[in-house]
């Protein structure tokens, strides 16, 4: 596993259940991501969570404890996401 992924930004994204529109995006720091990997298990070939991962509602208390993102909105589905830093 590489020691750094400095060219990546991570985000918790909330998409509308009705039409898949992106509604909210909450940034995730590298330190938060390291803690989040203990709650949302990444794939064995994706230690830096570069792929999207669903955030089930039953995990929300642990996710909120790490991200301080507040309560989930019931009309949204949540995923982690990553993109290249600009």
């Amino acid at each position: 596993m590489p020691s750094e992924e400095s060219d990546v930004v991570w985000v918790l994204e909330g998409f509308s259940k009705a039409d898949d529109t992106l509604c909210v995006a909450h940034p995730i720091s590298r330190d938060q991501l390291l803690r989040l990997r203990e709650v949302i298990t990444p794939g064995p070939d994706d230690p830096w969570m570069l792929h999207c991962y669903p955030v089930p509602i039953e995990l929300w208390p642990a996710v909120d404890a790490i991200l301080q993102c507040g309560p989930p909105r019931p009309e949204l589905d949540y995923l982690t996401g990553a993109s290249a830093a600009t």
Side-chain angles (χ1 to χ4, degrees):
M1 175 168 72
S3 61
E4 294 292 328
E5 283 293 336
S6 59
D7 294 339
V8 177
V9 292
W10 296 273
V11 65
L12 173 67
E13 300 171 319
F15 292 90
S16 170
K17 291 179 180 183
D19 62 15
D20 228 15
T21 303
L22 177 63
C23 295
V24 297
H26 184 86
I28 301 172
S29 71
R30 182 182 182 282
D31 290 336
Q32 289 172 322
L33 179 77
L34 293 174
R35 293 176 52 213
L36 198 59
R37 292 188 310 190
E38 298 172 10
V39 176
I40 300 169
T41 306
D45 62 339
D46 187 24
W48 287 102
M49 296 178 75
L50 299 177
H51 302 290
C52 294
Y53 291 90
V55 181
I57 197 72
E58 59 270 12
L59 297 180
W60 199 266
V63 170
D64 183 41
I66 295 167
L67 301 181
Q68 302 294 306
C69 52
R73 292 174 35 190
E75 71 275 13
L76 302 181
D77 285 326
Y78 290 91
L79 301 165
T80 63
S83 62
T86 55

